[in-house]
């Protein structure tokens, strides 16, 4: 209405931009908590698909978890799957469309508890898909209950006094487990809490999708991520806590490359 | 005339699935239906038609593989027997919610629990009243011969795509295992003629992205979605009722039975007529939608109905709803994998309606 006021378009000029919305992200506002890693990983996926020019050939599968609404944010064809079943759904798609790119996007409760069988068997069959595994050590969506990845002594709404490993067992390092299976071709663990780590994740993501193109077998990328809401911390505290506690247990770096186990693991960057 | 062969019900179904131009089968072994997967494996359908075949790690995985394939517009199916079908219920509910077509075969065995491998019809409630969570229905076809095991493969896919909804073939251990003559149809191409606008095969520049989901967190939108589904189920009730009537024109008594039980009762009708008792048989072919109207029509003309099932009495509830108290509805059932003899059924009929 006020003719003198400067419009957003005038302020946000192309030449002033150092960072812009990825073209394959929709304009829908992310529903994730501020500081959550889910959004960064979405962006990385969108960038890789965009840069490879494979939007018309990509189908994503997001099961139940905080990221169940991933299809609202990624501008690609997607299927929502039942809790834990994404690798089976992806198998069904990929077997029928061997030349398409198929990925799953799963939380730790989804992939390493209820969906363990589907995860192990898709990996073991060497399905030519990409599994993206968001390990935040907790059930984010349902309000912060213990996950198979919850650290010893870590509090959650179902382990209010800390995870007692005598009672609940040890955290499951499923990424190390799937790396032992001949069907996996590329297995790596990364994080997205700093720009450097996000860049490493993107490099791994690109490799995972390139592997699909070459029909090399299954690529599995774990992203150790924060859940500030579930952990009951501020985003900054959560990132620090993650570095101090999650990374020593879940060390960063490549675990298996080109079908071969990597001998020396990269140390976590503090 | 198509090729005529002597085949087991399960094998005839598997062969018919290939010939119907099915795209993918995902399954897990369980008696008495393992011949489906075994027959397909021996046939190497990827060589015959390019059809995908995969033995899954569980029934849960199998139905979710079907979900994925169906979401890309493929004609996908799975088969199992009672305990395995129980495991598939979450997946079936998701498929109805996401409006995905598929074909499911249940070769029923006796339960509850691990039960027995003998034939049973005790999954009728599960098949026709929903089975999994939420308000939903699937079309249920009940074959009573090896021929129908073959014929319902093609019909099942046709109906599944017509309504974008799963179709369940509710067979049993007797029909799956017995051998009969079957006429097989010609090989159909694996091409699809149905509307492909909703499938997820990658978003091309000329269309909006497609999403397969059963989720809607907005209750009012979810209610609208439920209304849409209910309208679809009403359409099935309007258009898809199928049944067979045997010797019903002059019948004074009616037996209602489906599947293998209908085969037994067909003999009962013969025995009864030899004795001068005018008995007819109504064989529901679709269990959902149920042939309610024809039972309603017939109740005015008959003196009694006997429902016979391989269960403790499940379908009889639908018969009683249809008869609405206007005529006596008696029930006779055998359980746990046992089957009644034709004269055993006749004895019950006489005792219920003639000896009183
Ligand atoms: C069969 C079934 N059981 C339980 C649930 C409830 N549920 C939804 S998401 C979830 C856990 C999600 O945790 P995770 O996979 O770690 O994802 P996050 O939200 O942490 O990203 C659970 C238990 C469900 N939807 N379906
Ligand atoms: S609950 Fe946790 S995982 Fe979910 S959006 Fe919030 S921070 Fe992220
Ligand atoms: Mg989690």
């Amino acid at each position: 209405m006020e003719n003198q006021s400067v419009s957003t378009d005038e302020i946000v000029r192309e030449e002033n931009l150092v960072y812009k919305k990825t073209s394959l992200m929709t304009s829908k506002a992310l529903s994730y908590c501020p500081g959550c890693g889910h959004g960064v990983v979405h962006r990385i996926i969108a960038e890789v698909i965009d840069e490879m020019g494979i939007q018309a050939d990509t189908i994503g599968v997001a099961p139940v978890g905080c990221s169940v609404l991933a299809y609202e944010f990624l501008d690609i064809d997607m299927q929502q799957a039942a809790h834990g079943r994404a690798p089976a759904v992806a198998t069904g798609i990929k077997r029928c469309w061997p030349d398409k790119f198929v990925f799953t996007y799963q939380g730790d409760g989804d992939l390493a508890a209820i969906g363990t069988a589907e995860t192990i068997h898709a990996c073991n069959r060497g399905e030519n898909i990409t599994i993206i595994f968001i390990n935040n050590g907790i059930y984010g969506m349902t309000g912060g209950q213990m996950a198979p990845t919850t650290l010893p002594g870590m509090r959650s709404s179902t382990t209010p006094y800390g995870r007692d490993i005598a009672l609940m067992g040890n955290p499951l390092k499923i990424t190390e487990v799937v790396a032992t299976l001949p069907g996996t071709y590329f297995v790596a663990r990364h994080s997205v809490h700093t720009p450097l780590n996000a860049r490493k994740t993107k490099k791994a993501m690109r490799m995972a999708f390139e592997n699909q193109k070459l029909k090399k077998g299954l690529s599995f990328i774990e992203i150790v991520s924060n859940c500030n809401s579930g952990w009951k911390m501020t985003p900054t505290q959560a990132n620090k806590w993650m570095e101090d506690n999650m990374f020593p247990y879940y060390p960063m770096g490549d675990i298996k490359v080109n079908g071969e186990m990597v001998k020396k693991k990269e140390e976590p960057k503090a | 005339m198509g090729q005529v062969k002597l085949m087991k019900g399960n094998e005839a179904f598997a062969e018919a699935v290939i010939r119907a131009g099915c795209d993918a089968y995902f399954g897990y072994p369980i008696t008495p239906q393992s011949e489906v997967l075994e027959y397909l494996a021996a046939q190497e359908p990827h060589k015959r038609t390019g059809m995908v075949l995969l033995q899954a790690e569980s029934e849960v995985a199998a139905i979710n593989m079907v979900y994925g394939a169906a979401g890309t517009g493929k004609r996908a199916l799975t088969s199992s027997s009672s305990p395995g079908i129980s495991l598939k219920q979450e997946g079936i509910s998701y498929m109805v919610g996401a409006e995905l077509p598929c074909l499911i075969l249940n070769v029923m065995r006796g339960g509850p629990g691990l039960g027995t491998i003998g034939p049973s019809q005790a999954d009728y409630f599960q098949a026709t009243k929903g089975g999994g969570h939420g308000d939903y229905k699937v079309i249920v076809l009940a074959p009573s011969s090896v021929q129908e095991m073959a014929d319902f493969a093609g019909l099942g896919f046709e109906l599944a795509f017509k309504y974008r909804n799963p179709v369940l073939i509710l067979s049993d251990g007797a029909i799956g295992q017995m051998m009969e003559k079957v006429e097989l149809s010609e090989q159909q191409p694996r091409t699809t003629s149905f509307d492909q606008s909703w499938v997820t095969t990658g978003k091309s520049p000329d269309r909006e992205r497609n999403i397969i989901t059963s989720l809607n967190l907005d209750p009012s939108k979810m209610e609208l979605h439920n209304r849409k589904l209910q309208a679809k189920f009403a359409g099935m009730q309007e258009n898809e009722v199928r049944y067979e009537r045997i010797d019903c024109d002059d019948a004074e008594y009616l037996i209602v039975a489906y599947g293998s039980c209908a085969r037994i009762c067909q003999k009962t009708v013969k025995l009864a007529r030899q004795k001068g008792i005018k008995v007819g048989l109504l064989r529901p072919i679709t269990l959902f939608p149920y042939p309610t109207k024809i039972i309603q029509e017939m109740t005015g003309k008959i003196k009694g109905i006997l429902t016979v099932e391989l269960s403790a009495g499940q379908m009889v509830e639908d018969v009683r709803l249809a008869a609405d108290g206007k005529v006596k509805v008696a029930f006779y059932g055998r359980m746990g994998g046992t089957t009644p003899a034709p004269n055993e059924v006749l004895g019950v009929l006489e005792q219920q309606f003639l000896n009183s």
Side-chain angles (χ1 to χ4, degrees):
Chain A
M1 293 292 122
E2 294 142 322
N3 292 334
Q4 268 101 337
S5 73
V6 193
S7 76
T8 318
D9 286 345
E10 282 173 284
I11 303 167
V12 189
R13 281 171 204 250
E14 193 67 26
E15 64 265 29
N16 293 334
L17 289 180
V18 288
Y19 192 75
K20 61 178 178 182
K21 190 171 84 61
T22 313
S23 63
L24 293 192
M25 293 289 284
T26 64
S27 50
K28 179 117 183 164
L30 291 176
S31 55
Y32 303 113
C33 308
C36 174
H38 273 306
V40 184
V41 183
H42 283 18
R43 182 186 166 99
I44 289 170
I45 294 168
E47 283 177 357
V48 167
I49 294 170
D50 191 22
E51 285 161 22
M52 288 177 72
I54 56 172
Q55 181 194 26
D57 292 307
T58 302
I59 304 117
V61 184
V64 191
C66 273
S67 48
V68 67
L69 288 173
Y71 59 71
E72 302 233 319
F73 313 125
L74 293 170
D75 190 20
I76 56 171
D77 276 3
M78 286 197 75
Q79 294 194 16
Q80 187 260 310
H83 194 19
R85 316 303 170 209
V89 171
T91 298
I93 301 170
K94 188 77 183 195
R95 291 281 172 143
C96 290
W97 300 88
D99 296 331
K100 302 267 175 187
F101 295 83
V102 182
F103 72 89
T104 69
Y105 186 101
Q106 306 174 253
D108 43 342
D110 188 88
L111 180 141
I114 193 168
T116 311
E118 283 78 4
T119 303
I120 298 280
H121 286 280
C123 289
N124 195 47
R125 286 190 303 264
E127 296 296 339
N128 193 27
I129 59 173
T130 299
I131 292 184
I132 300 156
F133 168 37
I134 310 295
N135 176 10
N136 54 15
I138 208 153
Y139 285 12
M141 186 194 213
T142 38
Q145 295 86 3
M146 182 188 70
T149 46
T150 298
L151 296 179
M154 182 175 163
R155 284 170 198 252
S156 74
S157 66
T158 51
T159 53
Y161 310 108
R163 179 176 184 155
D164 178 356
I165 56 166
L167 209 63
M168 298 309 310
N170 282 286
L172 180 56
K173 294 190 186 186
I174 197 153
T175 305
E176 275 78 359
V177 175
V178 301
T180 66
L181 304 171
T184 51
Y185 185 73
F186 173 51
V187 180
R189 183 185 284 122
H190 289 283
S191 77
V192 293
H193 70 306
T194 68
L196 175 64
N197 289 88
R199 273 202 295 280
K200 286 183 179 174
T201 299
K202 186 172 171 187
K203 217 176 128 200
M205 195 73 72
R206 175 80 191 229
M207 191 190 280
F209 277 86
E210 295 287 354
N211 287 340
Q212 276 202 55
K213 201 186 224 165
L214 302 171
K215 301 200 191 328
K216 290 290 190 184
L218 196 138
S219 297
F220 188 105
I221 304 174
E222 171 178 341
I223 291 135
V224 179
S225 190
N226 58 356
C227 175
N228 27 289
S229 294
W231 298 354
K232 312 249 176 297
M233 295 177 196
T234 65
T236 329
Q237 283 171 338
N239 281 347
K240 176 85 173 74
W241 190 89
M242 180 168 72
E243 286 178 350
D244 294 347
N245 299 278
M246 296 281 279
F247 291 0
Y249 207 94
Y250 302 110
M252 300 290 112
D254 290 335
I255 299 171
K256 191 179 193 180
V257 177
N258 296 345
E260 299 287 339
M261 296 297 277
V262 175
K263 290 273 149 53
K264 250 179 84 193
K265 282 172 203 159
E266 205 182 301
E267 282 305 306
K269 204 176 179 305
Chain B
M1 191 167 148
Q3 192 182 7
V4 177
K5 279 189 163 187
L6 183 68
M7 290 181 107
K8 269 191 175 191
N10 288 336
E11 293 170 351
F13 174 77
E15 176 61 33
V17 154
I18 302 175
R19 290 180 185 231
C22 166
D23 294 305
Y25 172 96
F26 305 96
Y28 189 83
I30 182 171
T31 309
Q33 68 77 50
S34 295
E35 292 85 0
V36 177
L37 177 53
E38 288 166 352
Y39 183 91
L40 288 173
Q43 286 297 315
E44 299 188 290
H46 59 284
K47 290 186 186 160
R48 273 180 64 180
T49 64
M51 173 181 160
V52 169
L53 173 69
L54 186 62
Q55 178 171 336
E57 60 269 33
S58 69
E59 289 87 349
V60 176
I63 190 71
N64 282 284
M65 290 171 183
V66 169
Y67 179 105
T72 66
K74 293 291 182 183
R75 271 178 284 193
L77 86 150
T78 185
S79 66
S80 188
S81 176
S82 308
I85 295 291
S86 291
L87 281 180
K88 292 184 196 292
Q89 293 302 327
E90 185 200 33
I92 297 171
S93 169
Y94 268 69
M95 292 194 78
V96 176
E99 298 194 79
L100 294 180
C102 77
L103 187 60
I104 303 148
L105 168 68
N106 180 1
V107 184
M108 286 184 281
R109 56 189 256 178
L114 194 53
T116 170
I117 57 170
S120 167
Q121 296 180 324
D123 301 349
Y124 178 93
F125 283 151
Q126 183 197 58
T128 61
K129 310 296 174 193
H133 59 287
D135 271 325
Y136 77 87
K137 302 282 187 193
V138 299
I139 293 179
V140 183
L141 298 168
S144 78
S145 62
V146 171
Q147 186 65 53
E148 282 187 338
M149 284 290 275
D151 293 346
F152 290 176
L155 175 65
F157 275 118
E158 197 184 302
L159 293 172
F161 278 86
K162 180 171 173 188
Y163 292 96
R164 271 182 68 186
N165 201 71
V167 168
L168 176 70
I169 298 179
L170 194 67
S171 185
D172 63 61
I175 303 292
Q177 292 297 323
M178 72 185 185
M179 289 187 91
E180 280 185 321
K181 205 172 71 172
V182 55
E183 187 184 337
L184 298 161
S185 64
E186 298 297 318
Q187 178 65 52
Q188 301 298 308
R190 273 185 51 241
T191 50
T192 42
S193 54
F194 60 88
D195 164 38
Q196 296 260 332
S197 60
W198 53 271
V199 306
T200 52
T201 49
K203 184 206 169 302
S204 48
D206 57 333
R207 68 156 167 86
E208 288 295 297
R209 70 189 195 285
N210 281 335
I211 293 158
I212 303 295
T213 184
S214 59
L215 174 73
N216 204 323
L217 291 172
D218 179 341
S220 56
K221 285 193 184 144
M222 197 63 215
E223 187 178 41
L224 275 182
H225 181 58
N226 266 279
R227 286 196 199 288
K228 180 184 173 199
L229 294 178
Q230 291 301 323
K232 200 151 85 167
F233 307 146
M236 294 169 185
Q237 280 172 302
E238 198 57 46
N239 302 313
E240 307 304 341
V241 175
R242 287 167 170 79
Y243 55 84
E244 184 187 13
R245 277 186 297 181
I246 296 167
D247 290 337
C248 282
D249 290 348
D250 63 340
E252 293 179 351
Y253 302 96
L254 184 68
I255 295 177
V256 184
Y258 69 95
S260 61
C261 227
R263 292 292 288 275
I264 295 164
C265 294
Q266 215 173 318
K267 187 79 203 236
T268 305
V269 169
K270 270 200 185 127
L271 294 177
R273 286 193 174 257
Q274 279 164 15
K275 281 178 130 185
I277 313 168
K278 288 182 177 166
V279 179
L281 173 68
L282 176 75
R283 176 174 78 89
I285 294 172
T286 51
L287 300 178
F288 179 84
Y290 197 72
T292 306
K293 271 187 203 145
I294 185 69
I295 294 179
Q296 280 167 350
E297 279 168 35
M298 289 174 78
T299 44
K301 299 172 204 153
I302 51 173
K303 297 179 185 164
I305 300 177
L306 176 66
T307 305
V308 186
E309 295 174 61
L310 305 183
S311 79
Q314 300 193 9
M315 180 181 73
V316 66
E317 293 192 3
D318 288 329
V319 178
R320 288 198 173 119
L321 273 174
D324 200 19
K326 293 188 178 103
V327 64
K328 178 177 167 182
V329 178
F331 171 75
Y332 186 63
R334 294 291 302 268
M335 290 171 283
T338 64
T339 45
N343 58 1
E344 185 181 339
V345 176
L346 180 57
V348 174
L349 189 122
E350 288 175 321
Q351 186 212 334
Q352 287 284 343
F353 297 109
L354 299 161
N355 299 349
S356 47

mmCIF file of all heavy atoms in Angstrom, chain A residues 108-131:
data_model
loop_
_atom_site.group_PDB
_atom_site.id
_atom_site.type_symbol
_atom_site.label_atom_id
_atom_site.label_comp_id
_atom_site.label_asym_id
_atom_site.label_seq_id
_atom_site.Cartn_x
_atom_site.Cartn_y
_atom_site.Cartn_z
ATOM 1 N N ASP A 108 16.312 -43.289 13.849
ATOM 2 C CA ASP A 108 16.982 -44.412 14.520
ATOM 3 C C ASP A 108 15.972 -45.394 15.125
ATOM 4 O O ASP A 108 16.210 -46.607 15.140
ATOM 5 C CB ASP A 108 17.961 -43.914 15.588
ATOM 6 C CG ASP A 108 17.411 -42.795 16.434
ATOM 7 O OD1 ASP A 108 16.425 -42.154 16.017
ATOM 8 O OD2 ASP A 108 17.947 -42.544 17.518
ATOM 9 N N GLY A 109 14.861 -44.885 15.609
ATOM 10 C CA GLY A 109 13.828 -45.799 16.106
ATOM 11 C C GLY A 109 13.288 -46.612 14.953
ATOM 12 O O GLY A 109 13.114 -47.833 15.033
ATOM 13 N N ASP A 110 13.062 -45.929 13.846
ATOM 14 C CA ASP A 110 12.498 -46.567 12.662
ATOM 15 C C ASP A 110 13.441 -47.617 12.092
ATOM 16 O O ASP A 110 13.056 -48.765 11.860
ATOM 17 C CB ASP A 110 12.225 -45.471 11.622
ATOM 18 C CG ASP A 110 11.475 -45.996 10.430
ATOM 19 O OD1 ASP A 110 10.237 -46.001 10.494
ATOM 20 O OD2 ASP A 110 12.117 -46.417 9.458
ATOM 21 N N LEU A 111 14.687 -47.221 11.895
ATOM 22 C CA LEU A 111 15.630 -48.082 11.173
ATOM 23 C C LEU A 111 16.245 -49.163 12.050
ATOM 24 O O LEU A 111 16.510 -50.269 11.592
ATOM 25 C CB LEU A 111 16.724 -47.196 10.553
ATOM 26 C CG LEU A 111 17.831 -47.876 9.757
ATOM 27 C CD1 LEU A 111 18.191 -47.054 8.530
ATOM 28 C CD2 LEU A 111 19.072 -48.138 10.601
ATOM 29 N N ALA A 112 16.478 -48.828 13.346
ATOM 30 C CA ALA A 112 17.267 -49.742 14.176
ATOM 31 C C ALA A 112 16.447 -50.442 15.267
ATOM 32 O O ALA A 112 16.992 -51.225 16.032
ATOM 33 C CB ALA A 112 18.441 -48.995 14.811
ATOM 34 N N ALA A 113 15.137 -50.142 15.352
ATOM 35 C CA ALA A 113 14.299 -50.885 16.304
ATOM 36 C C ALA A 113 13.230 -51.635 15.513
ATOM 37 O O ALA A 113 13.434 -52.765 15.091
ATOM 38 C CB ALA A 113 13.677 -49.945 17.335
ATOM 39 N N ILE A 114 12.136 -50.956 15.217
ATOM 40 C CA ILE A 114 10.991 -51.653 14.590
ATOM 41 C C ILE A 114 11.331 -52.155 13.192
ATOM 42 O O ILE A 114 10.796 -53.165 12.745
ATOM 43 C CB ILE A 114 9.737 -50.738 14.593
ATOM 44 C CG1 ILE A 114 8.472 -51.524 14.261
ATOM 45 C CG2 ILE A 114 9.910 -49.545 13.673
ATOM 46 C CD1 ILE A 114 7.179 -50.762 14.519
ATOM 47 N N GLY A 115 12.245 -51.486 12.518
ATOM 48 C CA GLY A 115 12.552 -51.866 11.139
ATOM 49 C C GLY A 115 13.881 -52.585 10.965
ATOM 50 O O GLY A 115 14.403 -52.658 9.849
ATOM 51 N N THR A 116 14.425 -53.134 12.036
ATOM 52 C CA THR A 116 15.745 -53.778 11.948
ATOM 53 C C THR A 116 15.779 -54.858 10.874
ATOM 54 O O THR A 116 16.732 -54.941 10.092
ATOM 55 C CB THR A 116 16.141 -54.389 13.310
ATOM 56 O OG1 THR A 116 15.939 -53.404 14.314
ATOM 57 C CG2 THR A 116 17.584 -54.833 13.311
ATOM 58 N N ALA A 117 14.739 -55.682 10.828
ATOM 59 C CA ALA A 117 14.742 -56.786 9.858
ATOM 60 C C ALA A 117 14.769 -56.245 8.435
ATOM 61 O O ALA A 117 15.559 -56.710 7.596
ATOM 62 C CB ALA A 117 13.511 -57.668 10.055
ATOM 63 N N GLU A 118 13.930 -55.252 8.157
ATOM 64 C CA GLU A 118 13.885 -54.688 6.796
ATOM 65 C C GLU A 118 15.227 -54.050 6.442
ATOM 66 O O GLU A 118 15.697 -54.158 5.314
ATOM 67 C CB GLU A 118 12.761 -53.655 6.679
ATOM 68 C CG GLU A 118 11.360 -54.250 6.559
ATOM 69 C CD GLU A 118 10.787 -54.729 7.883
ATOM 70 O OE1 GLU A 118 11.435 -54.542 8.926
ATOM 71 O OE2 GLU A 118 9.687 -55.299 7.876
ATOM 72 N N THR A 119 15.844 -53.382 7.426
ATOM 73 C CA THR A 119 17.134 -52.733 7.191
ATOM 74 C C THR A 119 18.195 -53.771 6.837
ATOM 75 O O THR A 119 18.866 -53.685 5.807
ATOM 76 C CB THR A 119 17.588 -51.966 8.456
ATOM 77 O OG1 THR A 119 16.573 -51.025 8.794
ATOM 78 C CG2 THR A 119 18.903 -51.251 8.233
ATOM 79 N N ILE A 120 18.334 -54.758 7.714
ATOM 80 C CA ILE A 120 19.378 -55.781 7.527
ATOM 81 C C ILE A 120 19.187 -56.506 6.186
ATOM 82 O O ILE A 120 20.144 -56.723 5.447
ATOM 83 C CB ILE A 120 19.331 -56.820 8.682
ATOM 84 C CG1 ILE A 120 19.612 -56.143 10.025
ATOM 85 C CG2 ILE A 120 20.259 -57.996 8.414
ATOM 86 C CD1 ILE A 120 21.051 -55.880 10.336
ATOM 87 N N HIS A 121 17.941 -56.860 5.890
ATOM 88 C CA HIS A 121 17.736 -57.670 4.684
ATOM 89 C C HIS A 121 17.863 -56.867 3.394
ATOM 90 O O HIS A 121 18.348 -57.393 2.395
ATOM 91 C CB HIS A 121 16.416 -58.430 4.772
ATOM 92 C CG HIS A 121 16.514 -59.569 5.735
ATOM 93 N ND1 HIS A 121 17.095 -60.765 5.396
ATOM 94 C CD2 HIS A 121 16.172 -59.666 7.035
ATOM 95 C CE1 HIS A 121 17.099 -61.567 6.454
ATOM 96 N NE2 HIS A 121 16.538 -60.924 7.462
ATOM 97 N N ALA A 122 17.440 -55.617 3.425
ATOM 98 C CA ALA A 122 17.652 -54.777 2.224
ATOM 99 C C ALA A 122 19.155 -54.612 1.998
ATOM 100 O O ALA A 122 19.641 -54.710 0.873
ATOM 101 C CB ALA A 122 16.977 -53.425 2.387
ATOM 102 N N CYS A 123 19.898 -54.394 3.090
ATOM 103 C CA CYS A 123 21.361 -54.264 2.982
ATOM 104 C C CYS A 123 21.976 -55.576 2.507
ATOM 105 O O CYS A 123 22.855 -55.594 1.645
ATOM 106 C CB CYS A 123 21.966 -53.864 4.324
ATOM 107 S SG CYS A 123 21.609 -52.165 4.798
ATOM 108 N N ASN A 124 21.491 -56.667 3.071
ATOM 109 C CA ASN A 124 22.074 -57.964 2.736
ATOM 110 C C ASN A 124 21.799 -58.362 1.287
ATOM 111 O O ASN A 124 22.627 -58.999 0.644
ATOM 112 C CB ASN A 124 21.538 -59.039 3.683
ATOM 113 C CG ASN A 124 22.369 -60.299 3.622
ATOM 114 O OD1 ASN A 124 23.591 -60.230 3.674
ATOM 115 N ND2 ASN A 124 21.723 -61.438 3.468
ATOM 116 N N ARG A 125 20.619 -57.979 0.779
ATOM 117 C CA ARG A 125 20.317 -58.288 -0.619
ATOM 118 C C ARG A 125 21.089 -57.353 -1.552
ATOM 119 O O ARG A 125 21.085 -57.560 -2.758
ATOM 120 C CB ARG A 125 18.810 -58.124 -0.896
ATOM 121 C CG ARG A 125 17.923 -59.221 -0.325
ATOM 122 C CD ARG A 125 16.495 -59.108 -0.863
ATOM 123 N NE ARG A 125 15.899 -57.814 -0.580
ATOM 124 C CZ ARG A 125 15.110 -57.559 0.461
ATOM 125 N NH1 ARG A 125 14.798 -58.514 1.309
ATOM 126 N NH2 ARG A 125 14.612 -56.358 0.643
ATOM 127 N N GLY A 126 21.672 -56.326 -0.966
ATOM 128 C CA GLY A 126 22.381 -55.356 -1.801
ATOM 129 C C GLY A 126 21.440 -54.594 -2.709
ATOM 130 O O GLY A 126 21.759 -54.329 -3.874
ATOM 131 N N GLU A 127 20.260 -54.253 -2.174
ATOM 132 C CA GLU A 127 19.333 -53.452 -2.983
ATOM 133 C C GLU A 127 20.069 -52.201 -3.436
ATOM 134 O O GLU A 127 20.765 -51.553 -2.649
ATOM 135 C CB GLU A 127 18.099 -53.060 -2.153
ATOM 136 C CG GLU A 127 17.222 -54.226 -1.695
ATOM 137 C CD GLU A 127 16.558 -55.004 -2.817
ATOM 138 O OE1 GLU A 127 16.426 -54.454 -3.924
ATOM 139 O OE2 GLU A 127 16.179 -56.171 -2.584
ATOM 140 N N ASN A 128 19.879 -51.861 -4.676
ATOM 141 C CA ASN A 128 20.626 -50.739 -5.239
ATOM 142 C C ASN A 128 19.939 -49.409 -4.906
ATOM 143 O O ASN A 128 19.451 -48.697 -5.783
ATOM 144 C CB ASN A 128 20.738 -50.957 -6.745
ATOM 145 C CG ASN A 128 21.732 -50.039 -7.376
ATOM 146 O OD1 ASN A 128 22.680 -49.593 -6.739
ATOM 147 N ND2 ASN A 128 21.510 -49.731 -8.624
ATOM 148 N N ILE A 129 19.889 -49.115 -3.598
ATOM 149 C CA ILE A 129 19.197 -47.915 -3.118
ATOM 150 C C ILE A 129 20.127 -47.143 -2.168
ATOM 151 O O ILE A 129 21.221 -47.613 -1.841
ATOM 152 C CB ILE A 129 17.894 -48.275 -2.365
ATOM 153 C CG1 ILE A 129 18.194 -49.176 -1.154
ATOM 154 C CG2 ILE A 129 16.902 -48.965 -3.296
ATOM 155 C CD1 ILE A 129 16.996 -49.456 -0.252
ATOM 156 N N THR A 130 19.665 -45.986 -1.725
ATOM 157 C CA THR A 130 20.408 -45.213 -0.731
ATOM 158 C C THR A 130 19.577 -45.146 0.545
ATOM 159 O O THR A 130 18.397 -44.788 0.495
ATOM 160 C CB THR A 130 20.664 -43.784 -1.250
ATOM 161 O OG1 THR A 130 21.449 -43.867 -2.439
ATOM 162 C CG2 THR A 130 21.404 -42.942 -0.214
ATOM 163 N N ILE A 131 20.186 -45.506 1.672
ATOM 164 C CA ILE A 131 19.502 -45.381 2.959
ATOM 165 C C ILE A 131 20.132 -44.211 3.713
ATOM 166 O O ILE A 131 21.348 -44.183 3.928
ATOM 167 C CB ILE A 131 19.595 -46.683 3.775
ATOM 168 C CG1 ILE A 131 18.769 -47.787 3.099
ATOM 169 C CG2 ILE A 131 19.119 -46.454 5.221
ATOM 170 C CD1 ILE A 131 18.706 -49.113 3.858
#
